[in-house]
C-alpha cells in the first residue's frame, strides 16, 4: 500500500520533470499539494493535447488510487478527478482519446463527476 510519504518519490520517478516543483515545499508532509502539482501538470498536458505524457500522468493517478492508502486515495478523488472532470474537451475525437486514457479504477469516478457538472450546467 502506498502511503502519503511515498507519493513524491513515485511522481518524480514517473515524471522527472516535476522534481523541481515538488521540492518547492516539503511535499513529503503535504499530500494535497503534491497531488495538486501532479494535477496541474496533467491538466496542462490535456490542454496541449500531449497524449503520451497525459497517459503517463493518468496511469500514475490510477496507480496512486488503486494502491494508495485512504489518505492518498482521498487526495486523488478530491483533486484530480474533479479537476479533470471540469476541464472542457474541445471536440469528440479529443474526448474519446481522453476517455480511452483514463484508468479503469478512476473511470467511474470521473464519469460521475463529469455527469454532475453537465447536469448542473443545464
Amino acid at each position: 500500500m502506498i502511503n502519503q510519504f511515498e507519493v513524491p518519490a513515485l511522481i518524480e520517478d514517473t515524471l522527472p520533470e516535476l522534481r523541481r516543483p515538488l521540492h518547492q515545499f516539503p511535499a513529503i508532509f503535504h499530500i494535497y499539494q503534491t497531488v495538486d502539482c501532479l494535477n496541474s501538470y496533467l491538466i496542462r498536458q490535456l490542454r496541449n493535447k500531449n497524449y503520451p505524457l497525459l497517459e503517463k500522468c493518468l496511469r500514475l493517478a490510477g496507480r496512486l488510487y488503486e494502491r494508495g492508502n485512504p489518505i492518498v486515495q482521498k487526495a486523488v478523488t478530491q483533486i484530480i478527478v474533479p479537476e479533470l472532470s471540469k476541464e472542457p474537451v474541445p471536440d469528440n475525437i479529443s474526448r474519446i482519446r481522453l476517455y480511452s486514457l483514463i484508468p479503469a479504477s478512476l473511470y467511474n469516478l470521473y464519469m460521475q463527476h463529469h455527469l454532475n457538472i453537465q447536469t448542473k450546467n443545464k
Side-chain angles (χ1 to χ4, degrees):
M1 191 167 270
I2 299 168
N3 65 44
Q4 63 270 28
F5 307 111
E6 298 169 313
V7 172
L10 270 166
I11 293 173
E12 286 182 26
D13 288 347
T14 306
L15 303 162
E17 55 271 41
L18 292 181
R19 182 168 284 125
R20 174 171 271 148
L22 287 173
H23 286 277
Q24 290 180 356
F25 49 86
I28 196 164
F29 299 113
H30 300 285
I31 184 65
Y32 287 95
Q33 285 94 340
T34 302
V35 173
D36 189 49
C37 181
L38 171 61
N39 182 63
S40 297
Y41 188 73
L42 183 152
I43 296 297
R44 195 172 335 124
Q45 301 319 310
L46 176 60
R47 289 178 182 161
N48 294 336
K49 295 184 179 185
N50 187 342
Y51 295 110
L53 274 177
L54 176 62
E55 182 178 15
K56 282 176 85 173
C57 294
L58 288 169
R59 267 192 278 134
L60 176 58
R63 189 171 49 204
L64 291 174
Y65 182 76
E66 290 168 18
R67 299 179 186 165
N69 68 15
I71 295 168
V72 174
Q73 290 176 340
K74 187 175 179 183
V76 170
T77 58
Q78 288 186 342
I79 295 172
I80 293 178
V81 174
E83 292 300 316
L84 184 61
S85 301
K86 284 190 258 183
E87 189 62 31
V89 183
D91 55 57
N92 286 337
I93 293 172
S94 298
R95 184 173 290 112
I96 290 168
R97 188 94 187 252
L98 172 62
Y99 291 171
S100 72
L101 296 178
I102 297 173
S105 59
L106 295 177
Y107 191 80
N108 286 338
L109 292 169
Y110 168 82
M111 290 308 281
Q112 287 173 352
H113 277 273
H114 187 67
L115 292 173
N116 280 340
I117 290 167
Q118 297 299 322
T119 305
K120 289 178 185 176
N121 289 336
K122 287 186 178 181

